[in-house]
Amino acid sequence: MNAGFLQTPVAYLKGVGPNRAETLQSELGIYVYQDLLNLFPNRYIDKTQYYKIGQLQKSNAEVQIVGKIVHIKTVEQKRGSRLVAKFIDETGEMELVWFRGQKWIRENLKLNVPYVIFGKCNWFNGSFSMPHPEMELLSEHEKNLRIHMQPVYPSTEKLSNKGITNRVLSKLIQQLFVETKGSFEETLSNKILDELKLISKSEALFNIHFPKNQELLAKAQFRLKFEELFYLQLQLIAKNMLHKQRIKGFNFDQVGPLFNDFYANHLPFELTDAQKRVIKEIRADLGSNAQMNRLLQGDVGSGKTIVAVMTMLLAIDNGFQACLVAPTEILANQHYIGIKELLQGTGVTCELLTGSVKKSVRKPIHEQLESGELHILIGTHAVLEDKVVFKNLGLAIIDEQHRFGVAQRSKLWHKGSPNSGEVGGATPPHILVMTATPIPRTLAMSLYGDLDISVIDELPPGRKPIKTVHRYDSNRLKVFHFIKEEIQKGRQVYIVYPLIQESEALDYKDLMDGYESIVRDFPQPQYQISIVHGQMKPEDKDYEMERFVKGETHIMVATTVIEVGVNVPNASVMIIESAERFGLSQLHQLRGRVGRGADQSYCILMTSYKLSSEAKTRLETMVQTNDGFEIAEVDLKLRGAGDIMGTQQSGMLNLKIADIVKDNTILKSARYFAMQLLKDDSTLEKPENLVIRHFYAELAKFKNIWNYIS
Ligand code: ADP
Ligand code: MG
C-alpha cells in the first residue's frame, strides 16, 4: 500500500466517522491512517492459554476461561446493587460480577451457551470471582481472526467514555489491515534487512498489532525500534553533514600572536591532556571553512573556562570579536572577573554586559562593540538583545547549556558579521556550547546528533575527590560540630536549602528557619554568615556573594541560585538540606561548588528518615561516585529522557516505540548503520538505497513522526 493512501483522514475508515475521528484526534493525536497504524500497543495479554476453573490460582492473574452461565441474579446491597452470574465449566464454578451496566448485561447475556470470558480473578469468601469480564460467545470467538496475544492500546478516560475501548481500537486497526490488505511499503534497504536479519515492514506491522506468538512479537518490536532510531540518526547525521557543506563559517586559519603569547607566558597551569585534545578539536573546526557547532561536555571543575578563553583568543587573532553568554548574573560576573585576570597584560579588551549594568556604562560598550575596539563581551541574556551590535562577531560561547533553549542558540546565529558574509546573508559566528551537566552519550547522540561533541573527561591534577556522606537530621549537632572544625581550619561552608520554586512560601520559610537556627548556633562575631536567595534584589545578592567570595563570611546559606558555576576555591564543605528533594544532576551540580581548591572537601547530604526508594538510590549514587557521567546514566534510568531535558527538548524525542535508555544497544547499531550509509552514499542515490531515500523524503514531507526538525 503506498504512503499516500496512508495519509487518508481517519474519519474515512469504516467504523470511525466524524465523531470518533475527533476523539481519536484529540486524545491520541491520530489524524490519518498512518497514525492509527503507528499506534503501538503498550503491552500484550497472552490469550494463547485457556484455563479451567479447577486450575485457578489465588494470584489475581488475568485468565481466559470457556464455560456457561447457568444462573443470574441481582444482589441488593447498602451501597447499590450488583449483578452476579454463576459461571461453570466441567471442573468447577465461579462468579461473574457487574456493578455497572447491569440492565444491558441482563438483557443480552445468554444462559447455558458457551462463552469465552477474560479478566482478572479474585479470590473472595472461599470462591473465585471475576468483576466485569470481557465476554464473547465461543462461536464468535472461533470465527474471529485468531489473536493470540491481545494488544493493549493506550487509553484515556475520554476514550472509554466515548466507547472507544481497547477492543474497538483493535477492530479499527483490523479494518485498516483489511483495506490495505496488510501490505505496506518496505522502508529499509535489503542490505540492512539482510545484515540484521530483520523481518519485513508488513510482517512487523502485522505482528506488532496481532502477534502470533512471543517470538514474532519480539522480532516485530526489534524491527520497528531499529527503524525508528535509524531514521532519527540518519536525520541528525545528515543535518550535520549538510550543515558542514552548506553553512560557510569564518576561517580562522592562523594561530596568531595572542594565542601563542598566552600559551607561553600567561597560562597559569599546565593544560590537562583532555583540555589539549579538545582545543585541538576546536581548532580543526575553526580552520575548516565550515561553521562550528560544537558541544563541550565536561564535569564541574574540569576546566572548561580556559578552553573558552583560548578559543576566544583564536578568534581575536584572526581579526574577530567573541562573546561568552552565561545563564545568571553571578556567573557572568565571575567569568568576567576570572577572564579579565587571565588576560591581564595580553592587550585583549573585555567588558561585562548584564541586565543590571547601568545605561551610562552600557553606552561606551555598545560603541566599542560596533567599532571593533572591544574584543570580548561577557554577559547574560542581555548580550542577545537586538540593540547589541557587533562589528564582526566570529565566535559565540554559551556556558551551561541546559539553561539555554534552542531559540537562544539561534539568536546568536544572526549576530554574525554583517559585512563579511556569504552571498545571501551574514555568516553565522562559530558556536561553542559548554555544559557541566554531563549528558549520557546515548542521549547526547539523539538530542545533539547535529552538534559535534567534545568531552573533557579528566580533572586537573591534584584534586582530591570530594568525600560525600549521608546524614539524618537527628545528627545535626555532630554536623554543626564538624562545620566549626572546618571553619577553624580557615575553610568556608555552603548550606543549601531546596527552594525549587523560588516563590513557594513554604520553602522560603524552611530557608529562613534554617538561617535563624544557624545564626543561633554560629554566633557573631566569631562567625560571619551570608545569605542568598531568589527573593533578594540582584544587587543585594551580589553583595552577599561578594563577601563570601572574598572570604569575609564563613558560611553561605543559600538556595539553588548558587547551583551553577560559582567558584570559591576556599569553600570545602557543602551541606545540602532536605537532600531527598533534589534531583541527581542538581545534587551533583551543588557538590561541584566544593572541591575546587587543594584541600579535602566534603559534601553532607541531610535528610529525614522518610525516604522513597528512588530518593535512596539518588543518595547512594552520590555517596558512591563523583563521576558526573556515571551519575547522569543513573539519572537517566531513574527519570527517563523526557524529564531530563525538560519539555521543550524532550518534545524532540517523540519516539513511538523505541526508548533511548532501554534500547541503547539498538540505538548504537542504528547510528552505526546510518553513519555507514551516509559515508558510502551521502546523497542516497545508489539504487539499493532508493527505498531509504524515498521514506526519508516521506517523513520530511509529513513530519508526523519527525517533528523535531528545527
Ligand atoms: P568548569 O569546567 O566547571 O567551568 P573551571 O573552568 O571553572 O571549571 O575550572 C575549575 C578550576 O580549575 C579553576 O579554578 C581553574 O583555574 C582550574 N583549572 C582548570 N584547568 C586546570 C589545569 N589544567 N590545571 C590546574 N587547574 C586548572
Ligand atoms: Mg564553568
Side-chain angles (χ1 to χ4, degrees):
M1 193 45 62
N2 70 45
F5 179 74
L6 291 178
Q7 296 304 318
T8 311
V10 74
Y12 293 108
L13 187 70
K14 197 176 151 212
V16 180
N19 259 334
R20 280 184 168 177
E22 204 186 296
T23 313
L24 287 173
Q25 207 175 87
S26 66
E27 292 303 289
L28 295 171
I30 293 172
Y31 292 80
V32 295
Y33 284 14
Q34 171 96 51
D35 300 330
L36 187 61
L37 193 63
N38 286 336
L39 177 73
F40 298 137
N42 289 335
R43 62 189 183 94
Y44 299 83
I45 295 164
D46 191 350
K47 287 195 174 176
T48 51
Q49 295 268 8
Y50 293 89
Y51 287 83
K52 298 285 177 213
I53 295 173
Q55 296 176 323
L56 293 177
Q57 305 290 321
K58 299 169 198 168
S59 69
N60 269 338
E62 289 174 314
V63 291
Q64 179 172 249
I65 309 167
V66 182
K68 296 177 204 171
I69 294 172
V70 290
H71 178 74
I72 193 158
K73 67 176 180 210
T74 302
V75 179
E76 294 297 340
Q77 276 180 311
K78 268 186 243 140
R79 282 169 290 138
S81 64
R82 65 195 151 108
L83 192 66
V84 179
K86 187 165 158 190
F87 186 76
I88 63 160
D89 68 3
E90 63 279 15
T91 65
E93 61 172 79
M94 63 185 290
E95 287 185 341
L96 310 181
V97 187
W98 292 267
F99 302 95
R100 302 179 304 270
Q102 297 174 25
K103 183 165 175 289
W104 189 89
I105 290 159
R106 209 166 179 146
E107 283 163 9
N108 287 279
L109 273 191
K110 300 192 169 86
L111 291 184
N112 298 311
V113 184
Y115 272 104
V116 180
I117 65 163
F118 180 85
K120 246 189 205 160
C121 256
N122 299 323
W123 173 255
F124 186 69
N125 263 353
S127 71
F128 283 104
S129 70
M130 189 185 285
H132 290 267
E134 279 179 34
M135 306 199 53
E136 192 173 31
L137 288 169
L138 182 62
S139 51
E140 289 290 317
H141 184 79
E142 284 170 339
K143 259 194 287 182
N144 270 340
L145 180 70
R146 268 268 169 271
I147 303 171
H148 296 301
M149 310 268 301
Q150 195 196 301
V152 180
Y153 292 97
S155 169
T156 68
E157 208 177 313
K158 195 165 162 209
L159 279 171
S160 24
N161 285 345
K162 296 251 173 176
I164 306 181
T165 58
N166 194 54
R167 175 190 286 244
V168 168
L169 278 172
S170 192
K171 280 255 159 72
L172 294 177
I173 292 170
Q174 259 183 56
Q175 179 60 29
L176 196 57
F177 274 78
V178 171
E179 291 195 14
T180 54
K181 303 197 174 61
S183 148
F184 303 97
E185 262 175 30
E186 184 49 62
T187 47
L188 292 172
S189 65
N190 283 330
K191 184 166 178 275
I192 292 178
L193 292 175
D194 289 348
E195 261 181 66
L196 285 166
K197 299 193 172 58
L198 301 176
I199 60 175
S200 73
K201 177 84 176 222
S202 298
E203 235 184 312
L205 284 173
F206 183 84
N207 280 290
I208 205 79
H209 290 295
F210 316 109
K212 287 185 191 137
N213 54 46
Q214 292 280 5
E215 197 193 335
L216 273 166
L217 174 61
K219 283 192 171 157
Q221 285 172 327
F222 185 86
R223 142 91 216 208
L224 294 171
K225 284 175 178 181
F226 178 86
E227 175 182 325
E228 184 167 51
L229 294 169
F230 173 79
Y231 278 98
L232 170 71
Q233 291 301 321
L234 193 65
Q235 200 127 32
L236 290 167
I237 298 166
K239 197 170 153 194
N240 182 311
M241 282 172 61
L242 206 66
H243 182 105
K244 284 189 179 141
Q245 285 163 14
R246 289 239 188 100
I247 316 280
K248 242 181 104 271
F250 301 120
N251 201 1
F252 295 178
D253 48 9
Q254 51 176 325
V255 176
L258 280 174
F259 186 93
N260 287 330
D261 170 54
F262 183 82
Y263 195 83
N265 304 318
H266 297 275
L267 201 59
F269 37 67
E270 173 90 16
L271 294 178
T272 62
D273 287 345
Q275 284 169 324
K276 283 183 196 158
R277 171 169 41 76
V278 165
I279 290 173
K280 237 185 230 157
E281 286 165 358
I282 292 171
R283 259 176 57 186
D285 281 1
L286 298 178
S288 76
N289 272 318
Q291 184 227 12
M292 173 172 77
N293 251 309
R294 191 168 277 280
L295 177 71
L296 173 56
Q297 290 205 52
D299 211 341
V300 273
S302 61
K304 294 183 291 294
T305 313
I306 199 78
V307 173
V309 168
M310 294 178 73
T311 307
M312 292 196 282
L313 291 179
L314 282 172
I316 301 162
D317 264 337
N318 285 274
F320 289 92
Q321 293 167 302
C323 71
L324 171 63
V325 187
T328 64
E329 293 223 353
I330 294 179
L331 257 184
N333 232 321
Q334 212 166 48
H335 269 315
Y336 174 66
I337 293 164
I339 289 172
K340 235 185 137 118
E341 198 180 306
L342 280 170
L343 293 177
Q344 226 165 41
T346 61
V348 174
T349 52
C350 176
E351 290 294 344
L352 176 74
L353 186 69
T354 65
S356 57
V357 168
K358 287 198 193 72
K359 253 208 178 127
S360 55
V361 182
R362 260 171 195 257
K363 207 166 159 253
I365 293 180
H366 282 283
E367 284 165 9
Q368 289 165 22
L369 269 185
E370 284 183 59
S371 72
E373 217 176 307
L374 183 58
H375 299 127
I376 295 176
L377 183 65
I378 294 172
T380 53
H381 296 77
V383 172
L384 303 177
E385 284 168 18
D386 289 334
K387 57 181 184 251
V388 179
V389 180
F390 292 81
K391 176 171 181 240
N392 57 356
L393 181 66
L395 167 74
I397 300 180
I398 304 172
D399 196 13
E400 314 294 355
Q401 145 84 7
H402 65 298
R403 299 249 172 128
F404 265 89
V406 177
Q408 281 138 330
R409 232 206 289 164
S410 84
K411 204 145 191 203
L412 278 168
W413 268 60
H414 303 294
K415 285 211 176 286
S417 156
N419 307 321
S420 57
E422 56 177 0
V423 186
T427 305
H430 294 294
I431 292 185
L432 180 66
V433 174
M434 306 197 294
T435 169
T437 309
I439 302 161
R441 269 206 79 77
T442 48
L443 188 58
M445 265 166 15
S446 308
L447 281 174
Y448 301 112
D450 60 330
L451 299 183
D452 293 301
I453 300 177
S454 287
V455 180
I456 305 186
D457 49 8
E458 178 189 0
L459 293 182
R463 294 270 171 81
K464 294 197 179 86
I466 300 160
K467 284 189 183 153
T468 303
V469 293
H470 171 207
R471 293 284 178 267
Y472 292 107
D473 291 337
S474 50
N475 285 323
R476 186 169 303 278
L477 278 181
K478 274 198 186 145
V479 172
F480 278 6
H481 183 73
F482 174 74
I483 295 176
K484 283 180 184 166
E485 279 177 0
E486 286 295 301
I487 292 175
Q488 202 74 48
K489 291 188 208 157
R491 307 284 108 80
Q492 289 166 283
V493 178
Y494 291 104
I495 303 180
V496 176
Y497 285 82
L499 235 88
I500 291 151
Q501 296 269 291
E502 293 278 352
S503 56
E504 268 181 26
L506 194 69
D507 286 341
Y508 187 63
K509 187 174 172 299
D510 280 355
L511 171 78
M512 292 324 284
D513 287 353
Y515 175 67
E516 272 157 29
S517 93
I518 289 158
V519 169
R520 268 196 310 278
D521 275 281
F522 296 85
Q524 284 189 324
Q526 194 184 355
Y527 299 101
Q528 298 295 327
I529 302 170
S530 286
I531 179 165
V532 169
H533 59 77
Q535 297 190 339
M536 288 164 72
K537 285 200 203 107
E539 53 265 38
D540 295 342
K541 250 196 276 189
D542 287 354
Y543 173 76
E544 285 289 314
M545 200 63 223
E546 254 337 89
R547 293 211 307 148
F548 189 68
V549 172
K550 286 191 194 138
E552 291 169 11
T553 54
H554 303 106
I555 299 176
M556 160 65 73
V557 177
T559 61
T560 48
V561 290
I562 59 139
E563 183 187 335
V564 235
V566 180
N567 193 16
V568 183
N570 190 48
S572 67
V573 182
M574 166 63 64
I575 315 274
I576 304 177
E577 295 285 347
S578 305
E580 72 273 22
R581 291 175 59 190
F582 291 90
L584 253 182
S585 78
Q586 226 179 354
L587 288 173
H588 181 61
Q589 281 291 322
L590 285 167
R591 176 169 61 183
R593 296 311 103 214
V594 297
R596 310 200 132 222
D599 312 302
Q600 176 63 55
S601 289
Y602 304 88
C603 174
I604 303 176
L605 307 167
M606 304 290 299
T607 74
S608 66
Y609 282 103
K610 236 170 77 185
L611 293 175
S612 70
S613 75
E614 208 187 295
K616 273 186 202 145
T617 307
R618 289 198 296 265
L619 298 166
E620 277 162 18
T621 306
M622 285 295 292
V623 170
Q624 271 161 23
T625 181
N626 269 302
D627 181 337
F629 284 92
E630 221 173 285
I631 288 169
E633 293 284 353
V634 177
D635 199 24
L636 185 59
K637 282 192 185 117
L638 286 179
R639 292 196 294 154
D643 270 358
I644 290 194
M645 301 321 293
T647 44
Q648 184 193 11
Q649 280 162 327
S650 71
M652 297 193 288
L653 279 181
N654 199 357
L655 298 174
K656 293 221 179 309
I657 186 162
D659 180 310
I660 297 288
V661 183
K662 293 190 195 120
D663 302 319
N664 191 343
T665 333
I666 308 179
L667 173 64
K668 281 185 193 149
S669 117
R671 184 169 177 84
Y672 172 81
F673 273 88
M675 210 83 108
Q676 290 310 107
L677 175 68
L678 288 172
K679 231 186 246 168
D680 174 56
D681 180 14
S682 66
T683 47
L684 301 180
E685 261 156 11
K686 292 191 177 172
E688 67 264 31
N689 294 328
L690 284 182
V691 53
I692 292 175
R693 180 196 171 101
H694 181 71
F695 188 57
Y696 187 92
E698 210 65 59
L699 288 175
K701 197 156 82 199
F702 297 116
K703 277 200 188 180
N704 45 6
I705 303 181
W706 314 101
N707 53 6
Y708 48 72
I709 304 170
S710 50

